[in-house]
Amino acid sequence: MKVQNYSEIEETEVTMEGAKDVSMRLLISENDEAKNFAMRMFTVEPGGHTPFHFHDFEHEVFILEGQGVLKAEKKEQPFKAGDVIFVKPDEKHQFRNAGSGQMRFLCLIPIQDKCA
Amino acid sequence: MKVQNYSEIEETEVTMEGAKDVSMRLLISENDEAKNFAMRMFTVEPGGHTPFHFHDFEHEVFILEGQGVLKAEKKEQPFKAGDVIFVKPDEKHQFRNAGSGQMRFLCLIPIQDKCA
């Protein structure tokens, strides 16, 4: 069993187009022999955001710290620490930090379609 | 997209044999059309614990609050808020609250073997 504080896990800048001042830690992944889904932590600096994009897999999100705005195709919704967010496959989305401090969240994704 | 504070989600007592003073909230599940994995939040009162058991699927855990001990077949490891825990399939495990306040964690599991 792996027990590790998130702060000990390497943090890398997200360089994907459309991302601004976002970093990621890969908390649990195939490197740990996880076969079904991966746990990532994202940290967004004030004014920063993830790309406004969509993809064919879901996001299961838990907001750990801070506050922000979830931008979708036709609306924007505020969120704050303690909020749970489910983004379905193909829904366009962007997480924006709307606060004065860091905004931090867990975002889990499926690792692969095992039946493919 | 679902955006909801965890506190608004129904909390139910865990009545599984071996559990003591544990409650659960089902944060994201098949009810939300999540098809690959489910996000649950567990709250353990001081002195409480989850069952000491194993099963054929993994746990991906993030400790949100408090401190505890992870009991395995041959050892015990302390954990605290901010710790990431990966329990592989068939590993025997128990989460014990070793603090004086509530211990709260996210625990994600695969929903099903889609290839079965």
Side-chain angles (χ1 to χ4, degrees), chain B residues 27-98:
Chain B
L27 302 186
I28 302 174
S29 72
E30 286 168 295
N31 299 335
D32 304 296
E33 298 179 35
K35 297 189 189 315
N36 295 303
F37 50 101
M39 182 187 287
R40 300 99 45 88
M41 178 189 284
F42 289 88
T43 303
V44 185
E45 301 299 326
H49 54 76
T50 64
F52 185 43
H53 70 174
F54 66 97
H55 36 66
D56 65 0
F57 54 88
E58 72 274 28
H59 281 326
E60 297 196 12
V61 169
F62 189 88
I63 308 297
L64 296 169
E65 181 185 344
Q67 54 190 290
V69 170
L70 176 61
K71 181 177 175 178
E73 191 68 68
K74 294 184 178 170
K75 63 174 175 176
E76 297 194 349
Q77 292 179 83
F79 63 77
K80 63 182 187 303
D83 282 355
V84 177
I85 299 176
F86 181 54
V87 179
K88 293 182 186 176
D90 299 322
E91 283 189 315
K92 201 166 178 183
H93 59 279
Q94 180 182 53
F95 294 87
R96 305 186 67 92
N97 185 345

Side-chain angles (χ1 to χ4, degrees), chain A residues 68-72 75-77 79 85 93-95, chain B residues 1 3:
Chain A
V69 170
L70 175 62
K71 181 177 174 179
K75 63 174 175 177
E76 297 194 349
Q77 293 179 82
F79 62 77
I85 299 176
H93 59 278
Q94 180 182 51
F95 294 87
Chain B
M1 282 184 275
V3 180

Side-chain angles (χ1 to χ4, degrees), chain A residues 46-104:
Chain A
H49 54 76
T50 63
F52 185 42
H53 70 173
F54 66 96
H55 36 65
D56 64 1
F57 54 87
E58 72 274 29
H59 281 327
E60 298 195 12
V61 169
F62 189 88
I63 308 297
L64 296 169
E65 182 184 343
Q67 55 191 290
V69 170
L70 175 62
K71 181 177 174 179
E73 191 68 67
K74 295 184 179 171
K75 63 174 175 177
E76 297 194 349
Q77 293 179 82
F79 62 77
K80 62 182 189 302
D83 282 355
V84 178
I85 299 176
F86 181 54
V87 179
K88 293 182 186 176
D90 299 321
E91 283 188 315
K92 201 166 178 183
H93 59 278
Q94 180 182 51
F95 294 87
R96 306 185 67 91
N97 185 345
S100 56
Q102 285 187 330
M103 190 267 287
R104 198 186 299 272

Side-chain angles (χ1 to χ4, degrees), chain A residues 33-50:
Chain A
E33 298 179 36
K35 299 190 188 315
N36 295 302
F37 50 101
M39 181 186 288
R40 300 99 45 88
M41 178 189 284
F42 289 87
T43 303
V44 184
E45 301 298 327
H49 54 76
T50 63

